[in-house]
Amino acid sequence: MKKCPECGNPSYDGAPVCGNCGYKFPKPKVKAIREEDIFEDRPIINKNGNEPSTLQILKDNKLVIGAILLITIIVIGIIIATGPATETSTSVDGAQKYSNAGVSFTYPSDWSETNGSDELHEDAIFFEGSNGTFIEYYTVSSEFSSIYEINSQRISSAQENGDYINTIQTIQLDGKNTSDVVLENYDGSYTRYVSLLSNGNLYVLKFNGNTLDSVTSNETEAVLQSIHIE
């Protein structure tokens, strides 16, 4: 119930006017209900106040993360830098394939890489073939400009060492003129130098055997014919 401010007559709460004097009661104010804005920005509250944020973790460990990234970059760089020059030996149709620094050739599967030494060519690799044949392969930078110069050098070296020149000829390997020199050494053994000149590099296969047949066999010729220079 409410009372009229003019005459004091009681009226019910919802009455628009006083029933005694006709006084118009003012309309009641309606309190607006505040609607929640689902897009309102709110602070992110960490349920567990003791747990650091992701950003804080990154800041606290930036030295460790930086070291890991640096090591990763170095490892990738080493792989890229050393990858193309890596020696590989793979099996191809029952034979082995050697590939390194732009040259490749295949050799019989019963050949095995062996230890050897060459003071003039420290990067040389060595194989032990059949019939007691030993094979050496190496690549060197060369100032030779022709097969003639290579053959002349082989002749001079043979004469100095007292070796007999059994054969000296020019053959074709991988479409290129190649020096092929067979020497009969002073002790009766044989050495064959097959030297291919390409783009300032000299690629040499050197065969050592007890007989002429061991350094000129069909097996040896197959290896020579498989040489490829990129």
Side-chain angles (χ1 to χ4, degrees), residues 65-83:
I65 295 173
I68 294 174
L69 290 175
L70 179 61
I71 293 172
T72 302
I73 292 172
I74 292 174
V75 171
I76 293 174
I78 292 173
I79 294 173
I80 293 174
T82 60

Side-chain angles (χ1 to χ4, degrees), residues 177-197:
N177 288 333
T178 303
S179 169
D180 184 9
V181 178
V182 180
L183 304 179
E184 183 178 351
N185 303 313
Y186 65 91
D187 61 357
S189 63
Y190 289 82
T191 301
R192 182 182 185 183
Y193 292 92
V194 178
S195 309
L196 191 156
L197 184 64

Side-chain angles (χ1 to χ4, degrees), residues 154-175:
R154 297 293 185 210
I155 292 172
S156 297
S157 296
Q159 291 174 342
E160 292 176 1
N161 297 329
D163 301 325
Y164 171 74
I165 299 174
N166 180 278
T167 306
I168 183 168
Q169 61 181 339
T170 299
I171 60 176
Q172 284 280 317
L173 295 180
D174 196 27

Side-chain angles (χ1 to χ4, degrees), residues 104-142:
S104 63
F105 57 85
T106 58
Y107 58 91
S109 57
D110 58 354
W111 282 19
S112 59
E113 289 194 39
T114 186
N115 294 326
S117 62
D118 187 334
E119 294 180 356
L120 297 178
H121 310 104
E122 296 181 355
D123 295 332
I125 62 170
F126 299 85
F127 301 92
E128 183 175 356
S130 58
N131 300 321
T133 305
F134 287 91
I135 303 93
E136 176 184 357
Y137 166 76
Y138 58 86
T139 302
V140 293
S141 297
S142 175

